[in-house]
Amino acid sequence: MTRYLLSIYQPDGPVPPAERLAEIGRDLETLNVELRAAGGWVFDGGLHPASTATVLRPGSGEVLMTDGPFVDSKEHLGGIKIIDAPDLDAALGWAAKLTRATGLPVEVRPFQG
């Protein structure tokens, strides 16, 4: 099995209505049950808004710390799911289910080693 990071990208802007969030929550729970039953679930979690981020960068001999996201963009990392899958096709299948559950883009990347 290979370990994959599924990165969920969330647009900036207002939080969806409570009814939509409840629907997403139900769909995610269904996906998580299926993923656990298949033995592929490792870890997952949602993140607070990008405005809560702190970025550390190397400077000339010191570390510079700034508030907010690393880049200015229209979407930011909103959550992650770490899974074990036999191959990239299987990981892409789980990512497609995650995209359908959340309505958000998902990036799939294998871990090294």
Side-chain angles (χ1 to χ4, degrees):
M1 293 279 234
T2 301
R3 190 151 288 170
Y4 292 89
L5 171 65
L6 308 184
S7 303
I8 305 155
Y9 289 92
Q10 184 172 339
D12 285 339
V15 175
E19 303 81 36
R20 177 65 182 130
L21 288 177
E23 180 183 347
I24 291 169
R26 286 189 301 273
D27 291 346
L28 284 174
E29 183 55 30
T30 299
L31 174 61
N32 285 338
V33 166
E34 184 181 353
L35 189 54
R36 283 185 174 100
W41 184 89
V42 176
F43 175 82
D44 66 12
L47 301 172
H48 285 284
S51 61
T52 65
T54 303
V55 178
L56 288 77
R57 298 180 190 161
S60 52
E62 58 186 61
V63 175
L64 306 173
M65 213 177 314
T66 58
D67 291 335
F70 179 70
V71 293
D72 188 23
S73 94
K74 295 180 180 172
E75 61 184 21
H76 298 282
L77 185 62
I80 64 166
K81 188 176 287 294
I82 299 173
I83 66 167
D84 284 330
D87 55 36
L88 178 59
D89 287 337
L92 292 172
W94 288 114
K97 290 179 181 193
L98 183 56
T99 295
R100 284 192 290 276
T102 62
L104 297 172
V106 175
E107 177 184 331
V108 178
R109 293 178 70 181
F111 280 87
Q112 292 183 4

